[in-house]
Amino acid sequence: MSLAKKTRLVGWLLAAITLWPLVHFGLARTVGISPWKLFGWAMYTTPRPRVLAYVLEGGTERQLPFDTLSPARQRELLAAYDAFSKLRIELGSWVEPDEFGQLALRAYPNVASIDIAVERWVLGRTSARIEKAGPRALYRYSR
Amino acid sequence: MLRPREIWDRLGPAPASSEPERENLTWLRRLVLVHVAARTFLTMPTDFDGSVASLLRAATIAVALAGLAGPAALVATRVLCGLLVVEIATTLPFTANHVFLEFLCVGILALLNERDAGEGALSVRALRWIVAVFFLTTGLQKVLYGFWFRGEFLAYFAATEDRFGAFFGPLIPDAELARLRSYNGPPLEPGRYRTGLGAGPYRVDAPLFVLVSNLTWICEIVGGLLLFHPRTRAVAAWGCIGFVVLIELAARELTFGVLISALFLLFVPGRPLRRFFPFAAAFYAYLVLHRLGFVPFFDYSPA
């Protein structure tokens, strides 16, 4: 590769890494990607967000009981919950709880559908307290 | 106001006069190889289980160390670049930002051979641009997110992470620090605590603490800008290194601290990386011995 071509390639690379942090900030504000990853150089700007998900009976606010499940089911659900929440922290609303939702649907055979309610906890800019970032996101899984 | 092309042209030497900078690059190449080998070793699980991931790590360490034999350096850097692509691709989106910074450095050093004057001069400019933009951007992001103007971020970390509390705690009145820590829930791991909904407010009535918080992003932005100008870049580089040393007293991300300090030395005239390399290599070696259990050291983040 000639020096001229390498110079152009380097130029494009540097332009991309210079502009990407602004795009990253936009995605953090809209999609909810984590400031700490994905090369936006925004680590140490805000505490790492937390993601929590609740299993509700479809169309209601009734949280389905976890303790009544068998130990094997509990482990399965916890593993799926853990995997989902870790990905959701990094990639925001691009990640949906499909596997977790389907496993929860199988775990509760007596309900027609379940809702997975997802919350994201962040440090509030005005309150400086840990608060929910916007309304819960609801995902419905039906038989 | 300088145009981007002028900023770029002033960022590095002309090819004909670039010999000291190119020698610096040779030492930087060696340091980056040692850094990648050490970082990979220090962050790998203790058990070698023969999985693809563990084989990849072993290959990364072997290739990086093989590159320290002079003639193999460029080839090793190119192979290492490929291995880092695989590492990043297989760890996304959880890849630490520091690994990406390593990858950018390795990528530039893989593409460009400093033995050629033209490529060496281009390499100097590219690496200086990456470092200056990185430093400037970390400051700008702190402004955009807005948690450093009244010390909220540092207050949160001082309360929930012992390494930050030990460093910044003396700047916070005891009663305020006790209040902040009262919001802590159960520990996530030794020295790190979870917080619950409603915890806070993470603001403190401590002017010196708030001043330090604001000086942080100001230094990053001003330091990053000063790195671009020929008249100020050397002083700015030393200032940035001092700043990084202070940060790492709290954050304790030591391997990153060594790498970024080496990159700042690219802005300093002469051949500072030739002098810095033995100290950096010895420090990495000590961390490896610590990991193997042969020598003592304090808790730090190996990422």
Side-chain angles (χ1 to χ4, degrees):
Chain A
M1 199 190 292
S2 68
L3 180 59
K5 279 187 182 162
K6 287 185 180 182
T7 304
R8 266 197 300 278
L9 180 61
V10 168
W12 282 109
L13 172 70
L14 297 183
I17 63 170
T18 302
L19 293 172
W20 169 249
L22 282 176
V23 175
H24 186 276
F25 175 72
L27 291 173
R29 293 295 291 258
T30 54
V31 173
I33 66 170
S34 171
W36 287 77
K37 296 284 165 62
L38 297 177
F39 326 128
W41 313 135
M43 51 281 183
Y44 296 103
T45 55
T46 177
R48 289 178 186 83
R50 251 183 99 181
V51 163
L52 291 92
Y54 307 92
V55 181
L56 310 175
E57 185 174 353
T60 75
E61 284 297 316
R62 187 175 87 92
Q63 196 166 340
L64 292 169
F66 182 73
D67 296 344
T68 56
L69 297 175
S70 67
R73 274 275 187 234
Q74 287 184 1
R75 279 194 298 274
E76 196 180 49
L77 273 183
L78 280 173
Y81 171 75
D82 192 49
F84 163 70
S85 63
K86 281 179 176 161
L87 263 182
R88 182 89 176 199
I89 286 171
E90 308 303 347
L91 296 176
S93 58
W94 282 336
V95 176
E96 296 188 353
D98 291 344
E99 188 184 333
F100 179 50
Q102 292 297 338
L103 279 174
L105 197 59
R106 281 205 292 279
Y108 298 97
N110 296 331
V111 297
S113 64
I114 59 131
D115 289 339
I116 302 293
V118 182
E119 289 177 355
R120 190 161 162 267
W121 293 3
V122 297
L123 184 63
R125 268 183 88 151
T126 310
S127 67
R129 294 178 184 271
I130 302 299
E131 60 187 34
K132 296 180 193 176
R136 290 193 303 190
L138 273 181
Y139 301 89
R140 179 156 298 169
Y141 299 91
S142 306
R143 299 188 195 285
Chain B
M1 183 80 178
L2 291 176
R3 277 177 249 154
R5 183 62 207 229
E6 288 167 332
I7 296 172
W8 174 256
D9 287 340
R10 289 179 179 213
L11 199 52
S17 57
S18 62
E19 199 273 330
E21 287 87 355
R22 290 189 285 119
E23 186 181 332
N24 255 344
L25 286 177
T26 300
W27 287 103
L28 178 71
R29 183 186 295 278
R30 291 181 186 131
L31 189 143
V32 169
L33 290 171
V34 172
H35 169 88
V36 174
R39 191 269 302 161
T40 305
F41 178 79
L42 293 171
T43 54
M44 63 194 285
T46 46
D47 303 326
F48 180 82
D49 57 8
S51 64
V52 172
S54 58
L55 289 170
L56 179 66
R57 285 187 213 103
T60 299
I61 294 169
V63 168
L65 293 177
L68 293 175
L74 183 59
V75 171
T77 312
R78 289 174 174 167
V79 175
L80 195 63
C81 190
L83 290 170
L84 285 176
V85 167
V86 176
E87 178 181 347
I88 290 171
T90 55
T91 55
L92 278 173
F94 306 107
T95 321
N97 284 351
H98 305 158
V99 174
F100 190 66
L101 185 64
E102 279 175 25
F103 169 68
L104 289 176
C105 298
V106 170
I108 294 293
L109 293 169
L111 180 67
L112 302 167
N113 184 358
E114 67 272 16
R115 290 187 182 181
D116 175 275
E119 292 194 9
L122 176 59
S123 185
V124 170
R125 283 189 176 79
L127 288 166
R128 283 178 174 176
W129 183 281
I130 288 168
V131 175
V133 163
F134 164 78
F135 206 59
L136 173 63
T137 304
T138 55
L140 283 173
Q141 292 280 35
K142 289 181 172 71
V143 171
L144 288 173
Y145 282 86
F147 289 107
W148 285 73
F149 300 128
R150 295 175 65 177
E152 295 96 327
F153 176 83
L154 281 184
Y156 182 89
F157 259 56
T160 58
E161 304 233 356
D162 287 351
R163 59 191 170 132
F164 277 79
F167 188 76
F168 290 105
L171 297 177
I172 304 174
D174 292 344
E176 284 278 68
L177 191 57
R179 173 180 66 80
L180 294 174
R181 285 179 170 156
S182 72
Y183 307 136
N184 287 349
L188 287 165
E189 58 190 52
R192 281 185 65 209
Y193 299 88
R194 172 156 279 168
T195 53
L197 202 60
Y202 288 97
R203 290 199 183 108
V204 294
D205 185 16
L208 183 58
F209 178 78
V210 174
L211 176 66
V212 166
S213 179
N214 282 282
L215 280 176
T216 304
W217 63 265
I218 290 171
C219 286
E220 286 173 338
I221 290 175
V222 171
L225 289 172
L226 293 178
L227 286 171
F228 279 103
H229 200 284
R231 284 209 197 122
T232 54
R233 67 168 57 112
V235 171
W238 286 116
C240 291
I241 290 171
F243 180 82
V244 165
V245 169
L246 281 176
I247 285 180
E248 297 310 337
L249 288 174
R252 301 187 194 177
E253 291 165 341
L254 301 181
T255 56
F256 166 74
V258 172
L259 176 65
I260 196 69
S261 298
L263 291 170
F264 283 133
L265 286 175
L266 283 175
F267 292 86
V268 174
R271 296 164 172 80
L273 278 156
R274 185 173 64 184
R275 284 191 289 277
F276 183 63
F277 176 81
F279 293 104
F283 183 63
Y284 285 132
Y286 192 89
L287 293 181
V288 167
L289 290 174
H290 169 254
R291 175 84 201 263
L292 293 170
F294 294 133
V295 295
F297 202 57
F298 54 79
D299 279 341
Y300 72 97
S301 171

